[in-house]
Amino acid sequence: LMGTGQEFIEKTRFPYLGPSDQYLGRAQPPLERKDSGAGLPLPLPGEACPGAIDLTDAIARRRSVRTYATAKMPLATLSYLLWCSQGVQSVVGQDWTIRSVPSAGARHALETYVLANRVDGVEPGLYHYAALSNRLFRLQAPADVADRIRDACLDQPMITDAAAFFIWAADIYRMTWRYGERGYRYIFIDAGHACQNLYLAAEAVDCGVCAIGAFDDDALNALLGLDGEEIFVIYCAAAGMRAGEED
């Protein structure tokens, strides 16, 4: 019998794919989910004053860091990490964006959410990163949202120990509009690009990162107000000021 994973790979092979909505001439979805209110403008990425680090050194030094300093993360540092993992470099008409990470067909179907625990100038809480305007928008969430997100991530202590917890959600139609069911494969690849950039960028600003793929999908989607079908959590990562030993 074919397992679920094997069936996913099989049914997303090219012979099974029909014409995509793009091919059929249907309007493409928006480049980004919209927020209400003014939001919190973020500093330009360069204001983080990242240290000079050779790319080869950053790759060699990369580790999953699970212990963080209690110091607050500077807002400019958070802005830098957001830009490195999903930042918009240019917008081409209303069709696509060029960003700091690659994406299949430049679809960039990830939405970034941030649980801010200890970020200078940011009230603790849950935020959506609007990459097009480089702003944070606070989401309605219970006062104990950090503890609830930690519970949803199988009670891993990094979630609340970190200064900021990154959550990437797949706005899947932005990808499947062009690629049909095969787009489900590509969104996982895109999430890997984003997280690896976060790891490498952290080396330049004295931060540590730990990627997290173990979470209760339904619980985490519910906390973010996501329906779990059209948009759903796909990957997470804790980030904090570096302290202690790596493993």
Side-chain angles (χ1 to χ4, degrees):
L1 291 176
M2 185 179 293
T4 302
Q6 292 173 305
E7 185 175 11
F8 165 71
I9 294 298
E10 177 64 25
K11 293 298 177 66
T12 53
R13 295 183 190 276
F14 281 110
Y16 288 96
L17 304 182
S20 68
D21 280 0
Q22 180 187 26
Y23 180 85
L24 295 172
R26 293 171 181 153
Q28 78 167 38
L31 298 177
E32 182 176 75
R33 293 240 157 182
K34 300 303 180 186
D35 296 284
S36 59
L40 173 66
L42 292 172
L44 295 175
E47 294 183 30
C49 299
I53 181 170
D54 181 79
L55 177 59
T56 303
D57 289 340
I59 293 172
R61 286 166 45 179
R62 186 224 57 80
R63 297 290 186 276
S64 288
V65 179
R66 298 171 177 82
T67 302
Y68 313 102
T70 57
K72 286 187 176 182
M73 177 183 287
L75 183 59
T77 297
L78 176 61
S79 177
Y80 175 76
L81 295 176
L82 286 166
W83 183 85
C84 287
S85 55
Q86 275 296 290
V88 175
Q89 298 180 4
S90 62
V91 181
V92 183
Q94 295 297 314
D95 298 326
W96 68 83
T97 55
I98 304 299
R99 304 201 185 196
S100 52
V101 290
S103 174
R107 296 313 303 146
H108 293 291
L110 294 176
E111 294 286 343
T112 304
Y113 296 86
V114 177
L115 173 65
N117 293 318
R118 294 184 311 282
V119 179
D120 194 31
V122 179
E123 288 291 325
L126 187 60
Y127 293 81
H128 174 241
Y129 173 55
L132 290 173
S133 61
N134 196 37
R135 291 170 179 260
L136 286 178
F137 288 83
R138 189 164 188 176
L139 305 180
Q140 288 188 339
D144 62 345
V145 65
D147 291 333
R148 293 193 186 194
I149 289 177
R150 175 172 167 162
D151 288 344
C153 294
L154 312 188
D155 199 30
Q156 297 181 75
M158 295 85 72
I159 286 80
T160 47
D161 289 347
F165 185 61
F166 287 62
I167 305 171
W168 293 289
D171 190 349
I172 196 61
Y173 186 58
R174 291 220 301 268
M175 187 65 77
T176 59
W177 172 80
R178 174 165 291 177
Y179 294 113
E181 292 298 296
R182 193 170 176 89
Y184 280 87
R185 286 197 191 191
Y186 298 155
I187 194 63
F188 285 94
I189 296 170
D190 277 14
H193 295 321
C195 193
Q196 179 70 348
N197 262 31
L198 180 64
Y199 265 102
L200 297 181
E203 293 298 325
V205 287
D206 199 30
C207 288
V209 169
C210 183
I212 291 176
F215 50 83
D216 182 323
D217 298 77
D218 292 339
L220 199 48
N221 285 329
L223 286 166
L224 271 63
L226 310 181
D227 63 15
E229 294 183 5
E230 293 183 3
I231 180 167
F232 49 89
V233 175
I234 192 169
Y235 205 11
C236 307
M241 306 310 295
R242 190 180 292 273
E245 295 298 319
E246 302 161 359
D247 55 16

